[in-house]
Amino acid sequence: MSLSFLLATWFGLGKLPKAPGTWGSLGALPFAWVLQSLGGPLALGIGFLVICAIAWWSITDFLHRWPGEDPQEIVIDEVAGQWLVLLFVPPDLLLYAIGFVLFRVLDITKPWPASWADGTLSGTAGVFLDDVLAAIYGAIAMALLVHYWW
C-alpha cells in the first residue's frame, strides 16, 4: 500500500462500504478538534493549508497509479473541506455535528461554483476543488452561526 493511497483514502476510511465521503468527513473531525483545542483557528487554518498540499500530492499520485474520474475512495478532499467548514468553530460537540451535517449537504448538492468545478475540471483539480469550493459556503455559515448564536 502506497503512502498516497493511505492518505488519499484517509487511512482507509474511503474504502469503507456505503458513503465513503461521509466516512472521510467523519474521520476529519477528531483531527480538527485536536488542532482547534491546541491552537484555535490559526492551528486549524495552518492544518487546512497543509492538508490541501498533501491532498493535492496524494490525489495526483493516486490518479496516476489508479486512473479514474473521481474515485469514491479518495476522501482526503472531504477532510480538507470539513476542516475549512470548522475553521472558526470552537471545539464543541453540537457545533461540530452541525458543521458535519452542513458540509455533507453542501458536498452532495454542490452549490455553484462547486457544481461547475465538479462538472468541468478533471484530474486532481476536479477531484479536489469541488469539495473546497462547497466548504467555503459552510465556513461562512458556521462563522455566522458562532458569531450570532454561540
Side-chain angles (χ1 to χ4, degrees), residues 106-122:
L106 292 168
D107 187 27
I108 292 165
T109 61
K110 299 197 185 313
W112 188 90
S115 58
W116 169 83
D118 186 53
T120 306
L121 302 176
S122 61

Side-chain angles (χ1 to χ4, degrees), residues 13 15 17 22 27 37 43 47 58 63 74 85 93 98 101 113-114 118 120:
L13 289 178
K15 294 298 287 177
T22 300
S37 296
S58 66
L63 292 175
I74 296 177
V85 168
L93 287 176
I98 293 168
V101 171
D118 186 53
T120 306

Side-chain angles (χ1 to χ4, degrees), residues 70-142:
D70 190 352
Q72 283 190 318
E73 53 266 296
I74 296 177
V75 296
I76 195 167
D77 51 334
E78 273 81 15
V79 174
Q82 188 67 72
W83 286 8
L84 181 55
V85 168
L86 298 174
L87 185 58
F88 302 110
V89 176
D92 178 90
L93 287 176
L94 179 58
L95 288 173
Y96 268 49
I98 293 168
F100 171 77
V101 171
L102 178 61
F103 177 63
R104 293 310 307 140
V105 168
L106 292 168
D107 187 27
I108 292 165
T109 61
K110 299 197 185 313
W112 188 90
S115 58
W116 169 83
D118 186 53
T120 306
L121 302 176
S122 61
T124 302
V127 173
F128 181 72
L129 289 178
D130 63 312
D131 293 84
V132 174
L133 291 170
I136 291 170
Y137 290 109
I140 292 167
M142 292 304 293

